[in-house]
Amino acid sequence: MEMMRMAMSPAMSSATAAAASEDEGDLRRGPWTVEEDMLLVDYIANHGEGRWNSLARCAGLRRTGKSCRLRWLNYLRPDVRRGNITADEQLLILDLHSRWGNRWSKIAQYLPGRTDNEIKNYWRTRVQKHAKQLRCDVNSKEFRDVVRHVWMPRLVERIQADAAAAGEVAAPAPVSAAATRSMSSPAGAMYLHHQQIPLAAGAMVVAPAVSSEAYHHHGCGGGGDTSCSEPSQAAVTMSPDDASSTLRSSSAAAENDTIHGDVLSGSWSELLATTTTTTIAATAGLPDFDELGDFEDNLWSLEDIWLHQQC
DNA sequence: AATTGTATCAACCGCCAACTG
DNA sequence: CCAGTTGGCGGTTGATACAAT
């Protein structure tokens, strides 16, 4: 399987480019060839990861240690998943980014098999594209509000619909908070309190008990401050491993259900006109968020959405 | 069919913190 | 303690694929 993936790797088609730089000196740059990939995979299989510079030399690769590390982590590692960011994963990315900002590696810890590079690419291509459509900055309050009140609920709907379509234990309409909270987000896990939660794939996960008060207490306070809301809570309530198990089951179903691409594939104007999840956003444009007051400017997450949907 | 525009993603770069001798 | 090295991270770029005209 791994070999199949490597065979389909773009490295194959770029042999020419790589060859062009081959005789430039000691170190090669540019796309990796299949041969290089095999050298690296074989070496790590036999010796494990180690100091990357010496690894590169010992493996007979004329690459920098950095380049080898990057190739391994982002592409060759056996457990790496690529392509088709699922709705579950999109939701988790949006949620975690709202707390931590561009801490890609940190966010990636909660998406098993996904690399920081891929998440970063997803953000830059998909999310920033939507910000562009709305003619606002991706970091602006306006855009974050749209994400919170439109995009994320939309994702929740999508995940629920897919779960229902798969004939699983689905929450009855109207949107049940319990079902909504069964999302794979650490924020969702806050509510679970050792409940057994039906996931998209029908798998069950037992969430650790942590009070939502404690979660609130650790919320971010300052605009764009990514140093707060350390995963202290997230880590307690759902470690990367917990998140992994959750996501593995849900994303497996998602793959079967061909959740491909972006939930917001249409235009934002269409979406704002048709979305049913958040009437506040759909009927009167975006709400006066200044009056919401419950949470601070940059403190928004799935939890906030759920609270507001209940109101 | 050819050209142009856009999206995607692998790979590189530079910075910084941690590690090592 | 210090200087050099290494690893990790976020930002950016360039090649390629795909879609639209």
Side-chain angles (χ1 to χ4, degrees):
Chain A
M1 191 175 105
E2 189 61 30
M3 295 303 293
M4 284 228 344
R5 200 175 61 193
M6 285 195 294
M8 293 189 294
S9 149
M12 186 89 128
S13 59
S14 52
T16 336
S21 61
E22 193 152 9
D23 46 6
E24 278 182 3
D26 314 282
L27 293 175
R28 288 164 45 78
R29 295 175 57 203
W32 281 62
T33 64
V34 176
E35 290 75 22
E36 286 178 310
D37 282 347
M38 290 176 70
L39 274 176
L40 184 56
V41 168
D42 285 346
Y43 188 88
I44 291 178
N46 292 324
H47 303 90
E49 300 175 36
R51 297 180 77 81
W52 290 103
N53 277 341
S54 58
L55 185 153
R57 280 194 303 272
C58 295
L61 287 160
R62 288 153 62 189
R63 294 272 182 174
T64 65
K66 270 189 174 187
S67 181
C68 292
R69 174 184 165 273
L70 208 64
R71 184 63 178 171
W72 174 253
L73 292 179
N74 287 344
Y75 196 85
L76 296 174
R77 213 165 31 127
D79 59 333
V80 70
R81 298 174 55 221
R82 286 178 297 126
N84 294 339
I85 302 278
T86 67
D88 285 325
E89 290 171 320
Q90 289 181 46
L91 190 60
L92 194 51
I93 291 170
L94 292 175
D95 185 39
L96 295 180
H97 187 274
S98 74
R99 303 167 194 218
W100 298 329
N102 297 356
R103 304 282 295 275
W104 308 117
S105 63
K106 194 169 181 174
I107 293 171
Q109 289 176 11
Y110 289 81
L111 287 104
R114 298 294 185 187
T115 67
D116 54 353
N117 208 32
E118 186 163 26
I119 295 169
K120 181 170 55 182
N121 281 334
Y122 165 76
W123 186 267
R124 290 189 61 81
T125 57
R126 318 279 177 76
V127 179
Q128 290 194 346
K129 180 182 77 179
H130 292 307
K132 198 176 172 184
Q133 277 183 9
L134 289 168
R135 293 186 185 83
C136 59
D137 188 86
V138 73
N139 295 315
S140 70
K141 179 178 185 295
E142 289 75 17
F143 184 69
R144 288 184 298 165
D145 286 336
V146 168
V147 170
R148 177 173 62 174
H149 290 276
V150 179
W151 194 342
M152 293 173 78
R154 188 82 165 187
L155 280 165
V156 170
E157 274 186 353
R158 171 70 173 272
I159 294 166
Q160 287 180 303
D162 285 321
E168 291 157 2
V169 188
V175 176
S176 135
T180 313
R181 288 164 191 162
S182 74
M183 294 305 104
S184 46
S185 151
M190 299 298 170
Y191 285 90
L192 301 183
H193 296 281
H194 278 125
Q195 291 175 353
Q196 288 198 313
I197 300 302
L199 296 173
M204 306 295 280
V205 64
V206 178
V210 165
S211 72
S212 56
E213 287 86 6
Y215 173 61
H216 267 304
H217 194 66
H218 283 75
C220 280
D225 179 10
T226 54
S227 65
C228 56
S229 190
E230 277 297 309
S232 54
Q233 290 309 309
V236 169
T237 55
M238 181 177 275
S239 68
D241 283 346
D242 295 331
S244 299
S245 62
T246 309
L247 268 179
R248 260 182 227 114
S249 52
S250 55
S251 56
E255 277 166 16
N256 290 337
D257 293 344
T258 61
I259 296 181
H260 297 326
D262 202 331
V263 165
L264 295 186
S265 52
S267 74
W268 274 100
S269 54
E270 281 174 36
L271 177 70
L272 288 169
T274 59
T275 185
T276 56
T277 306
T278 48
T279 51
I280 43 174
T283 58
L286 292 172
D288 183 358
F289 294 107
D290 291 333
E291 291 183 7
L292 294 180
D294 285 355
F295 32 79
E296 307 219 10
D297 218 340
N298 67 327
L299 174 57
W300 53 275
S301 66
L302 291 180
E303 187 185 23
D304 300 326
I305 291 169
W306 296 322
L307 287 173
H308 272 274
Q309 281 186 334
Q310 284 184 296
C311 293

